[in-house]
Amino acid sequence: MKKRDFVRTLYDLIIFSAIIMILYNFTQPHSQDGFDNKQYTQISAVFRSDADGKFEKLSLPHYVRLKKGEQITISAQIPEGIDADDFMMIYSNQLRLKVYLDEKSSSTYTEVNNFDPDSKIPAMWYTFPIKTGSDGKRFRIVYLAEHAAYAGWIDQIYVGDRTAILYHLVRANAFSLVTAFIIVVMGIFIQCYDLCMLRKTAIKQYRFMGSFAVLAGLQLILHTPVRQLYMQNI
């Protein structure tokens, strides 16, 4: 097999593997049982309220467009049977969050991302413990586009055992992470192959292909919702 044909075959194999794993990731159902058989609840059905007090039923994830300074308010019910050490986890992309217990309450249940008002809010998971006696009550979340206009998704909300939720997120994104890791490894392999063959042949395409594969794989790894887990800030 010629060197060019070998690299082309390797590249086609990477693309094919990535497509298969991504399709499997989106079609494979995930149970509500988490790590160590502990439970969590995924809240997908919420109500959106406007300034006039009208409610609209939404399903999460939900796509929104907000101008700078605009906000969106959603509400839902905390599941029954919450344990004392259970958590709520909310994913937000550059939006400031405030959570209120009871829909008409003006006192903040928790300000999840209490960053400096002048700093840019990162895309990340925000976790906080469910207070004792909150199960069964309704809560309200305000998403505020404080610094710039926002166009993106409001993702699902998880309530339950923190370890079970994290395990579910890792399992749901496992194939994407594996695909990204394979792409990085293949990119490094192509780069090493190019360096070894540098004296015999100079084909710049190998260098560019290897660099692209490494950068693309790292981008996929850093873009996954579980980035915080392996960066140890969740």
Side-chain angles (χ1 to χ4, degrees):
M1 181 182 292
K2 296 181 180 180
K3 300 181 183 68
R4 187 184 297 272
D5 293 338
F6 171 75
V7 175
R8 178 60 184 272
T9 303
L10 189 62
Y11 182 76
D12 292 341
L13 181 62
I14 295 173
I15 299 299
F16 179 76
S17 300
I19 292 174
I20 293 298
M21 290 185 176
I22 291 173
L23 289 176
Y24 182 83
N25 182 45
F26 280 104
T27 56
Q28 180 70 11
H30 302 286
S31 68
Q32 296 294 311
D33 292 325
F35 184 75
D36 197 24
N37 292 325
K38 294 184 179 180
Q39 297 289 322
Y40 67 92
T41 300
Q42 178 177 314
I43 299 176
S44 299
V46 299
F47 288 92
R48 176 180 181 176
S49 57
D50 56 24
D52 298 328
K54 297 180 180 179
F55 289 88
E56 176 189 3
K57 190 173 183 179
L58 301 177
S59 295
L60 301 181
H62 178 70
Y63 187 81
V64 297
R65 289 181 178 272
L66 299 175
K67 296 179 181 179
K68 182 179 179 181
E70 286 188 337
Q71 66 183 36
I72 178 174
T73 302
I74 65 171
S75 61
Q77 185 175 9
I78 297 177
E80 297 282 356
I82 295 297
D83 294 331
D85 56 350
D86 280 350
F87 279 74
M88 179 179 289
M89 293 184 62
I90 307 171
Y91 187 81
S92 180
N93 183 9
Q94 301 177 7
L95 292 174
R96 186 172 295 278
L97 305 183
K98 286 189 177 182
V99 182
Y100 300 88
L101 190 62
D102 295 332
E103 293 182 280
K104 296 183 180 180
S105 174
S106 59
S107 59
T108 307
Y109 186 59
T110 182
E111 185 165 358
V112 187
N113 46 2
N114 191 18
F115 294 102
D116 189 299
D118 297 324
S119 64
K120 187 175 181 180
I121 301 172
M124 60 187 293
W125 285 98
Y126 301 98
T127 65
F128 57 93
I130 300 295
K131 295 180 180 179
T132 304
S134 299
D135 51 329
K137 295 184 178 180
R138 297 194 65 82
F139 66 93
R140 176 167 50 103
I141 304 177
V142 177
Y143 297 82
L144 173 62
E146 189 171 36
H147 299 294
Y150 174 77
W153 295 91
I154 294 180
D155 288 281
Q156 290 101 336
I157 302 167
Y158 294 91
V159 177
D161 182 76
R162 186 168 180 266
T163 304
I165 299 172
L166 293 176
Y167 179 68
H168 163 74
L169 294 175
V170 171
R171 185 174 54 190
N173 293 275
F175 290 98
S176 298
L177 288 172
V178 170
T179 302
F181 180 74
I182 291 174
I183 293 174
V184 171
V185 172
M186 291 299 184
I188 295 174
F189 176 79
I190 294 173
Q191 290 278 32
C192 294
Y193 178 82
D194 176 67
L195 291 174
C196 294
M197 300 300 295
L198 189 61
R199 295 183 178 180
K200 298 181 180 180
T201 180
I203 303 177
K204 293 182 179 180
Q205 287 85 341
Y206 291 174
R207 207 167 308 153
F208 298 148
M209 186 185 299
S211 299
F212 173 78
V214 172
L215 293 175
L218 291 176
Q219 168 64 18
L220 290 173
I221 291 173
L222 294 176
H223 191 66
T224 59
V226 293
R227 178 190 69 246
Q228 291 170 252
L229 186 59
Y230 47 78
M231 296 185 71
Q232 299 182 3
N233 66 338
I234 190 171

